[in-house]
Amino acid sequence: MEMFVEILKGILFGVVEGITEWLPISSTGHMIILEDLITLNVSDDFWNLFLVVIQLGAIMAVVVLMFKKIWPFRYSKDKGVQVKLSTLNLWGKILVACIPAAIVGILFDDILEKYLYNSIVVALMLIIFGVGFIVIENRKRTSFRVSTLKALSYKDAVYIGLFQLIAAIFPGTSRSGATILGALLIGIDRTVATEFTFFLAIPVMFGASLLKVIKIGLSFSLMEYMILLVGMISAFVVSVIVIRFLLSYIKKHDFKIFGYYRIILGIVVLLYFWLA
């Protein structure tokens, strides 16, 4: 009975991860808040690993849905294996954008986790970046400087990477929220900003998961492995739905609704912990 309850909790965490990883509302922030409300009966080491590795389920949704855009090789009987240089060029920009966050994650992961991974920091960053979305989207922009992935420059990728660095430091910022906000700020179209953010998640999350596994290892109980598995599966399924929704939504709408949601949630969290 206990294992069944914990597995249900794992599914719930996976659903929350699948929704919040792609919407610019902070997956890590929601996971920290959810853990304050619903505690998994697992070891501290497993929880620290679970928070990161569960995101692999969500990342696989991007790989499956956008495989043709991110896979640089194609095969035909006449010409054999061919390399799509435009896709390799895209991966170059993705890797450049990932460098700042990767350096900080490798050097300061333990320190950041110890001092900043708490609900108060999460709440403040939810509010701050929520205001940022509303302010930027309220600008009367009629056109964007960059409207295709191909037009995205390496300089643009560096700027977006610096915004991703903020998310790597402060939980509650939202990796997708920070990179989309940064991209909008420098004149990149919403669809391009969103897709590039999805692609950035692939090396970031695989790298973060590998780092956690190296640090913590894999010596866990059967129940903990089951929790991780169902969490990843539910995160994958929900992510497929959410990614399709978001790509459709931003064709006709802006990101202000997510800004308002972030502000409201941030205030609720501050009040919850102030009154608790």
Side-chain angles (χ1 to χ4, degrees), residues 154-210:
Y154 277 89
K155 184 178 180 180
D156 293 328
V158 171
Y159 282 130
I160 294 172
L162 292 176
F163 274 87
Q164 183 170 243
L165 176 61
I166 298 173
I169 296 174
F170 298 102
T173 301
S174 170
R175 186 196 55 77
S176 61
T179 52
I180 290 173
L181 191 67
L184 292 175
L185 193 61
I186 61 175
I188 296 174
D189 171 83
R190 293 185 187 93
T191 300
V192 175
T194 303
E195 287 191 352
F196 192 68
T197 292
F198 290 168
F199 300 151
L200 280 182
I202 299 172
V204 168
M205 290 300 101
F206 273 108
S209 298
L210 179 61

Side-chain angles (χ1 to χ4, degrees), residues 103-166:
I103 293 174
V104 169
I106 292 171
L107 297 179
F108 304 108
D109 180 59
D110 291 337
I111 296 174
L112 296 175
E113 191 171 297
K114 180 178 180 181
Y115 293 105
L116 295 179
Y117 274 57
N118 60 74
S119 297
I120 303 303
V121 172
V122 167
L124 292 175
M125 297 312 296
L126 281 168
I127 294 170
I128 291 170
F129 270 74
V131 172
F133 267 113
I134 295 169
V135 170
I136 289 176
E137 288 287 25
N138 274 336
R139 296 184 306 175
K140 303 301 181 182
R141 184 186 292 276
T142 57
S143 63
F144 291 91
R145 179 177 58 82
V146 176
S147 56
T148 65
L149 280 170
K150 189 175 182 179
L152 190 77
S153 69
Y154 277 89
K155 184 178 180 180
D156 293 328
V158 171
Y159 282 130
I160 294 172
L162 292 176
F163 274 87
Q164 183 170 243
L165 176 61
I166 298 173

Side-chain angles (χ1 to χ4, degrees), residues 72-124:
F73 307 104
R74 60 184 174 186
Y75 173 81
S76 66
K77 291 182 179 180
D78 297 332
K79 299 180 179 179
V81 178
Q82 295 178 291
V83 179
K84 293 185 284 185
L85 295 180
S86 60
T87 306
L88 287 180
N89 190 40
L90 172 63
W91 272 107
K93 297 169 188 175
I94 291 169
L95 295 177
V96 164
C98 289
I99 290 173
I103 293 174
V104 169
I106 292 171
L107 297 179
F108 304 108
D109 180 59
D110 291 337
I111 296 174
L112 296 175
E113 191 171 297
K114 180 178 180 181
Y115 293 105
L116 295 179
Y117 274 57
N118 60 74
S119 297
I120 303 303
V121 172
V122 167
L124 292 175

